[in-house]
Amino acid sequence: GAEYALDAERLQVLLQRTAWGWGWIIQMVAAALAGVAFMVARRAAADARVWTLAASAALALAVTPALSGHAAAMTGTVGTLAMATHTLHVLAAAGWLGSLLVLLLAGIPAAAAAGPARRGEYVAQLVRAFSPTALLFAGVPVASGVLAAFLHSSSLAALLGSRYGTLLFIKVGVFLLVFGTGAYNYLKVQPALGSDASTRHLQRSAGVELAVAAAVLIVTAVLVATARPYEEEAQIVAEDVPATTAEGRTQSPL
């Protein structure tokens, strides 16, 4: 409960004795390591080991959402599969949309610094090198998302009739908009690259793709804090059962 947010004893238990707490600790440590490693790696003569550290910290960050979400509550083989699916889902989204963000904010400006004579050519080369991996990563969230929905729902009927299912379908709908924008960029914008005008067009369309992707993240943030269908069913059943006193008498809600 939020009313205990500043209770030191409860916080200690939360951080040290729960998967969520360990996930949070790993996340903070990995974020700090990644930040330091990337700052050092900006030097022209940075050791390859620094990039290895940065990549390792980034991979650790991709695992931590599974430790603080629904996957962490599952046990056995199903729990392991749920954790792996969640991690793959995050890695694929990062490989697609995270890389697109880096391309837009760092790659294209760096290519443009080459000067007006070669600027369009360099941007085109950069985008064409990025596109094959983007296509691969874009397909993985679909497969992993379907598997995750299957793992976290007792049945299709329960999924359709739950708040979790409603949010999931909203997420899928917004994701399809992102996918459609990405397809437009790949099929229409990329082949025309080579000029300053086409570069500006790409920056606008990629910006729209990332803006819609941010909406997907917002829906996801609500989804991971929402009870799954069978949890929602159990909660409804528990609320429908009349409370029983210590003497065994049924206590009227009135």
Side-chain angles (χ1 to χ4, degrees):
E3 65 272 22
Y4 302 115
L6 300 180
D7 188 317
E9 184 177 350
R10 291 174 185 264
L11 283 176
Q12 184 178 2
V13 172
L14 175 67
L15 291 176
Q16 296 181 356
R17 302 184 186 178
T18 68
W20 189 96
W22 281 106
W24 187 89
I25 292 172
I26 294 171
Q27 192 173 61
M28 294 301 103
V29 173
L33 287 175
V36 171
F38 281 122
M39 288 177 64
V40 174
R42 291 181 62 187
R43 302 174 185 171
D47 193 300
R49 289 174 295 182
V50 177
W51 284 107
T52 301
L53 174 60
S56 300
L59 288 173
L61 283 170
V63 178
T64 56
L67 295 173
S68 60
H70 292 132
M74 307 179 79
T75 58
T77 304
V78 175
T80 302
L81 180 59
M83 293 281 288
T85 301
H86 196 148
T87 300
L88 186 63
H89 197 72
V90 173
L91 280 172
W96 171 23
L97 298 169
S99 296
L100 178 61
L101 179 64
V102 173
L103 176 73
L104 190 63
L105 297 183
I108 292 178
R118 305 292 299 276
R119 182 163 49 205
E121 176 189 345
Y122 286 164
V123 170
Q125 290 178 4
L126 186 63
V127 173
R128 286 167 189 153
F130 160 75
S131 294
T133 55
L135 284 175
L136 173 64
F137 282 125
V140 174
V142 177
S144 57
V146 170
L147 179 57
F150 173 78
L151 292 173
H152 295 304
S153 178
S154 55
S155 66
L156 179 60
L159 185 66
L160 293 174
S162 65
R163 184 168 180 265
Y164 181 92
T166 300
L167 288 169
L168 180 60
F169 286 116
I170 292 174
K171 177 182 176 179
V172 171
V174 181
F175 175 81
L176 289 177
L177 293 177
V178 182
F179 201 87
T181 308
Y184 171 80
N185 289 334
Y186 179 74
L187 297 173
K188 296 294 185 181
V189 179
Q190 180 192 267
L193 288 174
S195 64
D196 288 347
S198 61
T199 297
R200 288 192 294 271
H201 186 190
L202 172 68
Q203 289 174 310
R204 288 193 299 270
S205 58
V208 171
E209 185 176 350
L210 288 170
V212 181
V216 175
L217 292 179
I218 292 172
V219 177
T220 302
V222 179
L223 184 65
V224 298
T226 301
R228 289 166 290 184
Y230 54 86
E231 293 171 333
E232 187 175 320
E233 291 173 355
Q235 184 178 358
I236 292 173
V237 170
E239 291 174 351
D240 288 342
V241 175
T244 304
T245 65
E247 294 78 13
R249 296 190 303 273
T250 299
Q251 203 172 36
S252 169
L254 301 178

